Amino acid sequence: MSERGGTRDTGCVLCARRGDFGPIDPARPHSGLCPRCRQAARPTRQAIEQAVVIVAGQSLQAAEAMDLAHASPEELAYHVGALKRSVRSLLLLVED
């Protein structure tokens, strides 16, 4: 975010187009979006890819935070499953 002439330049939350498109309001699904993204009413490919990477990273962080030395069999199964899901989602992203 940068300041330009006293206004906040937040950019579009979906496509990262530069400009001030208003604050993000969870109650309004199109808040913070540029006119082009509002008109499309769907996420861009880049935004979907970014979301996949973010979710995979969060899953990996949760799996890495687990203490495997003292983990129960269920926790170990969760750990392996989380790694598998994260790697699979990233590989599917790369294949396209």
Side-chain angles (χ1 to χ4, degrees):
M1 287 188 263
S2 65
E3 296 282 336
R4 278 195 211 155
T7 62
R8 290 188 98 164
D9 180 12
T10 57
C12 179
V13 296
L14 204 54
C15 69
R17 175 184 276 176
R18 296 181 61 103
D20 184 16
F21 304 110
I24 300 169
D25 180 6
R28 293 181 25 234
H30 295 285
S31 65
L33 299 178
C34 68
R36 196 170 76 193
C37 288
R38 284 183 189 173
Q39 185 178 15
R42 60 183 150 88
T44 62
R45 169 84 180 167
Q46 181 182 5
I48 292 171
E49 290 174 354
Q50 185 178 10
V52 167
V53 170
I54 290 169
V55 170
Q58 289 172 340
S59 296
L60 286 173
Q61 285 177 346
E64 289 173 354
M66 190 179 299
D67 181 15
L68 297 179
H70 300 98
S72 68
E74 293 83 14
E75 290 172 327
L76 289 173
Y78 170 80
H79 177 77
V80 172
L83 293 175
K84 178 182 150 190
R85 284 187 303 275
S86 297
V87 171
R88 177 182 284 162
S89 64
L90 291 174
L91 289 175
L92 288 173
L93 180 67
V94 173
E95 285 179 0
D96 290 343

